[in-house]
């Protein structure tokens, strides 16, 4: 269908019934007589009423301008369809795609919206397992509360998009009955205004049938000058695992990146330009630039390519964890004897170093090395000094390879 303009006076625009396939809208302007931003309405410009049992396949929406509707596109049950070069203005949402929707594309579109609970593109309803969406090609999502919201949608791509002036979440992946996981979020510009919560929020709480994790790579995430963004990237869904967070540039006010769930994530090669990185669980963390925020319960897994210092609490029985570091400092503050137990999480060919410091004010207590250590006779350092000893793990024992032969001042 082709027309220059369709004006709707207090009504919806088009309805596409469940099961209707091969529909094409091309080069149409659909306008509401009184815009949603002037007087809020509940009208839908194109209302597709597909269901999980009776989907709507092979739709094309090309070169459309939709003006003044609360919801420009309600795309329930849409499969294998495309939005190309569509523009929405003076409304609330962009695309609301509920029911089971599969293998759709949004390319080079410009959707603008406003107001609380406004969504640029919402995929899923937490009831049906939506999947396979591609959002890209320079698509702009402007002014929404949530730019992209996956509510039980998996295996999707958001790439080379502009999510601009969002006020709550730039991208939110969540679900309790259906999983939102295995997304590729790459190369996006994600900018907040007002008092925004999170740039990219990974909050999946539904166990997926296949867990590959999300890829969050090469995104720019920040708030405009004078505005607030609490979290740049936040991972705290109970089923979050195997996420790769790499190459991002993030500037947020409380945490550039915060991880509270999962121990199988990789966080590498990011720029923390604001508050920094924080975690309450151990994950592989390497080659990032910026602040690492201390947390009483936070540790990181060792980086196999760099030394990670770890201060061990002095006590009668001390157990190092190789996941937490490889250069361990023990400072004796009294003359009591103590035992160094076998390190947990050993890795064959891993090297570790102990720096033993005497701040006891006298003769340092006797050190008992666990049988896992193959170590020669060791001379304790005098008060105010330290000695170090280095071991390598051969798969069975920690074998001494070197040590300092004289006292070194603390």
């Amino acid at each position: 269908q082709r027309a220059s303009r369709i004006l709707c006076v207090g009504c919806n625009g088009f309805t596409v019934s469940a099961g209707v396939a091969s529909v094409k809208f091309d080069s149409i302007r659909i306008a509401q007589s009184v815009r949603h931003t002037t007087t809020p309405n509940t009208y839908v410009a194109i209302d597709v009423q597909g269901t999980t049992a009776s989907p709507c396949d092979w739709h094309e929406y090309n070169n459309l301008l939709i003006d003044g509707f609360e919801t420009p596109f309600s795309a329930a049950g849409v499969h294998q369809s495309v939005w190309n070069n569509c523009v929405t203005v003076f409304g609330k949402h962009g695309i609301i795609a509920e029911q089971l929707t599969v293998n759709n594309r949004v390319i080079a579109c410009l959707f603008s919206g406003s107001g609380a609970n406004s969504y640029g593109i919402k995929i899923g309803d937490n009831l049906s397992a939506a999947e396979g969406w591609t959002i890209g090609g320079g698509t702009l999502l402007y002014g929404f509360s949530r730019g992209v919201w996956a509510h039980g949608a998996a295996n999707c791509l958001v790439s080379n998009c502009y999510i601009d002036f969002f006020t709550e979440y730039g991208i939110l992946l969540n679900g309790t009955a259906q999983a939102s996981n295995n997304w590729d979020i790459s190369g996006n510009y994600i900018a907040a205004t007002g008092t925004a919560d999170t740039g990219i929020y990974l909050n999946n709480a539904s166990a997926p049938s296949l867990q590959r994790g999300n890829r969050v790579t090469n995104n720019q995430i920040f708030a405009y000058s004078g505005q607030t963004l609490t979290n740049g990237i936040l991972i705290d869904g109970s089923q979050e695992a195997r996420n790769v967070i790499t190459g991002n540039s993030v500037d947020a006010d409380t945490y550039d990146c915060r991880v509270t769930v999962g121990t199988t994530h990789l966080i590498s090669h990011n720029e923390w330009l604001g508050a920094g990185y924080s975690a309450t669980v151990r994950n592989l963390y390497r080659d990032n630039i910026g602040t690492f925020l201390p947390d009483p319960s936070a540790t990181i897994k060792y980086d196999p390519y760099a030394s990670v210092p770890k201060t061990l609490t002095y006590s009668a029985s001390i157990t190092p964890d190789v996941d937490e570091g490889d250069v361990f400092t023990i400072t004796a503050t009294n003359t009591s004897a103590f035992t160094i137990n076998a390190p947990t999480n050993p890795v064959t060919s891993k090297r570790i170093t102990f720096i033993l410091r005497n701040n006891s004010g006298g003769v340092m207590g006797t050190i008992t090395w666990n049988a896992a250590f193959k170590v020669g006779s060791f001379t304790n350092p005098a008060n105010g000094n330290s000695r170090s000893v280095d071991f390598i793990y051969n798969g069975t024992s920690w074998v001494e390879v070197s040590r300092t032969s004289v006292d070194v001042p603390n």
Side-chain angles (χ1 to χ4, degrees):
Q1 299 183 36
R2 291 179 179 271
S4 59
R5 174 177 173 141
I6 295 173
L7 180 64
C8 299
V9 182
C11 62
N12 291 342
F14 294 86
T15 298
V16 182
S17 298
V20 176
S22 301
V23 173
K24 183 175 183 178
F25 289 82
D26 199 333
S27 302
I28 305 172
R29 176 175 178 177
I30 308 170
Q32 187 59 235
S33 59
V34 179
R35 288 168 167 162
H36 176 81
T37 52
T38 300
T39 301
N41 64 61
T42 59
Y43 299 126
V44 181
I46 300 176
D47 185 12
V48 182
Q49 298 179 344
T51 66
T52 298
S54 186
C56 295
D57 296 314
W58 312 308
H59 288 198
E60 292 182 53
Y61 304 96
N62 298 317
N63 305 309
L64 305 182
L65 173 59
I66 297 180
D67 182 348
F69 289 81
E70 180 189 61
T71 305
F73 299 99
S74 178
V78 172
H79 290 204
Q80 302 173 79
S81 298
V82 61
W83 286 258
N84 179 57
N85 197 36
C86 294
V87 177
T88 71
V89 294
F90 300 111
K92 182 174 183 178
H93 305 301
I95 298 173
I96 304 297
E98 297 185 339
Q99 302 283 333
L100 176 63
T101 61
V102 178
N103 298 341
N104 300 297
R105 292 185 298 162
V106 180
I107 306 298
C109 291
L110 190 164
F111 297 157
S112 64
S114 62
N117 303 314
S118 58
Y119 315 128
I121 301 175
K122 181 193 176 190
I123 305 169
D125 54 13
N126 199 35
L127 299 174
S128 303
E131 66 174 340
W133 282 71
T134 295
I135 305 168
T139 290
L140 169 63
L141 305 176
Y142 180 92
F144 297 100
S145 173
R146 302 177 182 182
V148 175
W149 178 18
H151 196 201
N155 308 311
C156 298
L157 169 69
V158 181
S159 181
N160 298 315
C161 294
Y162 297 86
I163 300 174
D164 205 9
F165 288 91
F166 76 90
T167 60
E168 186 183 15
Y169 305 119
I171 297 175
L172 168 62
L173 309 186
N174 71 349
T176 55
Q178 296 292 337
S180 291
N181 70 313
N182 303 337
W183 280 61
D184 187 339
I185 302 170
S186 60
N188 301 291
Y189 176 99
I190 303 174
T193 191
T195 305
D197 192 292
T198 302
I200 298 176
Y201 189 10
L202 307 181
N203 186 232
N204 180 46
S206 176
S209 58
L210 178 62
Q211 178 62 278
R212 297 190 305 275
N214 302 296
R215 300 293 182 268
V216 179
T217 60
N218 302 318
N219 300 285
Q220 300 178 55
I221 305 171
F222 66 98
Y224 285 114
S225 178
Q227 312 302 301
T228 300
L229 176 61
T230 301
N231 306 292
I233 300 170
L234 177 60
I235 303 174
D236 75 348
S238 61
Q239 296 295 321
E240 290 297 338
R242 299 177 183 167
N243 293 306
V244 175
I245 312 298
T246 186
N248 301 285
S249 178
V250 186
D251 188 348
D253 292 278
T254 303
Y255 302 112
D256 291 329
C257 183
R258 173 76 165 170
V259 183
T260 67
V261 174
T263 59
T264 56
H265 310 304
L266 169 64
I267 298 94
S268 72
H269 297 88
N270 300 285
E271 288 185 290
W272 310 135
L273 303 176
Y277 173 87
S278 176
T280 59
V281 287
R282 291 200 302 247
N283 283 283
L284 186 57
Y285 181 89
R286 57 165 302 184
D287 297 333
N288 298 285
I289 299 172
T291 301
F292 184 94
L293 296 170
D295 189 297
S297 56
T299 53
I300 59 172
K301 288 187 176 180
Y302 73 87
D303 179 342
Y305 303 104
S307 295
V308 179
K310 175 69 176 179
T311 298
L312 300 177
T313 302
Y314 175 64
S315 67
S317 180
I318 302 170
T319 303
D321 183 347
V322 176
D323 264 359
E324 296 182 6
D326 50 17
V327 179
F328 300 104
T329 298
I330 300 172
T331 300
T333 56
N334 58 43
T335 60
S336 300
F338 61 94
T339 297
I340 300 177
N341 300 311
T344 58
N345 299 308
V347 178
T348 299
S349 299
K350 178 67 179 176
R351 290 185 70 156
I352 61 174
T353 300
F354 288 92
I355 302 173
L356 301 160
R357 304 173 73 246
N358 184 356
N359 276 357
S360 68
V363 176
M364 187 172 171
T366 301
I367 301 173
T368 300
W369 296 89
N370 183 274
F373 293 100
K374 303 300 181 183
V375 58
S377 177
F378 186 79
T379 301
N380 288 351
N383 184 51
N385 291 275
S386 69
R387 292 198 181 204
S388 301
V389 58
D390 193 44
F391 297 90
I392 190 168
Y393 190 65
N394 66 7
T396 303
S397 302
W398 292 94
V399 180
E400 181 184 352
V401 291
S402 64
R403 66 170 69 185
T404 52
S405 58
V406 297
D407 283 357
V408 176
N410 289 339

